[in-house]
Amino acid sequence: QQQVKQSPQSLIVQKGGISIINCAYENTAFDYFPWYQQFPGKGPALLIAIRPDVSEKKEGRFTISFNKSAKQFSLHIMDSQPGDSATYFCAATEETSGSRLTFGEGTQLTVNP
Amino acid sequence: EPEVTQTPSHQVTQMGQEVILRCVPISNHLYFYWYRQILGQKVEFLVSFYNNEISEKSEIFDDQFSVERPDGSNFTLKIRSTKLEDSAMYFCASSVYAVSLYFGPGTRLTVT
């Protein structure tokens, strides 16, 4: 019940295209859903996060869509750029408990020029 | 911009040896964490630390592991007797409010 399932495992997109990564969770106690971006040899970096009281959050080219009833959330990268090529991890946690982040399996995104 | 730092960047050790991984969290952060990532796999939680004590630990964090905040700035992870399967990237992280974690660059631990 603690798992977060992420898909696809890898994604190739042309420059200017839309990248979409999906995650699903089971634990209804999760109430904070961040996305992390990781470049090779670096630690994960917080990209954007959402709480379940809203269905969408947008920051620049990055948008999280959240479907509480389906227990799913997704990351959309608009106008994808080669510099966006990285591994993306969704995660979930219970914010008030200070609990562990449970990460998805990761998606390796490649944006071709 | 403040950042989490970790040393060393790469540690090679022999099976059965003790290793200490060091981290300097962001100075005004109150929550501290260790995560690990085996090559090609997802990031896994090890332990969280708040108010000078462990607040939560995972099944991975057995008696071979310990954490310490020996002074006001450092946060360490000790593995008492390393095993081959401990080979991984170890990430330290810190946060102000137990969310919005900031991760360090990691220490690559290789156990031979």
Side-chain angles (χ1 to χ4, degrees), chain A residues 86-98:
Chain A
T87 300
Y88 292 81
F89 292 95
C90 62
T93 189
E94 298 174 51
E95 183 175 10
T96 54
S97 71

Side-chain angles (χ1 to χ4, degrees), chain B residues 9-21:
Chain B
S9 57
H10 190 192
Q11 174 89 48
V12 181
T13 189
Q14 288 191 328
M15 197 166 52
Q17 295 296 304
E18 174 183 289
V19 295
I20 297 176
L21 310 183

Side-chain angles (χ1 to χ4, degrees), chain A residues 7-106:
Chain A
S7 63
Q9 190 174 19
S10 62
L11 180 63
I12 300 174
V13 172
Q14 291 299 118
K15 179 182 174 181
I18 302 173
S19 304
I20 301 174
I21 304 170
N22 300 298
C23 284
Y25 64 98
E26 294 182 357
N27 186 350
T28 54
F30 286 152
D31 58 5
Y32 182 78
F33 303 88
W35 284 88
Y36 282 84
Q37 179 189 57
Q38 185 181 31
F39 292 105
K42 303 290 185 183
L46 179 64
L47 191 61
I48 186 173
I50 197 168
R51 293 179 174 84
D53 52 342
V54 297
S55 60
E56 187 175 282
K57 183 172 181 180
K58 184 176 180 179
E59 289 183 2
R61 296 184 294 110
F62 300 91
T63 299
I64 301 178
S65 297
F66 188 84
N67 186 330
K68 188 174 181 178
S69 60
K71 291 186 284 187
Q72 295 175 347
F73 58 110
S74 59
L75 176 69
H76 297 233
I77 306 174
M78 311 301 286
D79 186 27
S80 299
Q81 299 297 312
D84 296 331
S85 296
T87 300
Y88 292 81
F89 292 95
C90 62
T93 189
E94 298 174 51
E95 183 175 10
T96 54
S97 71
S99 183
R100 65 179 76 182
L101 276 175
T102 299
F103 281 85
E105 296 89 347

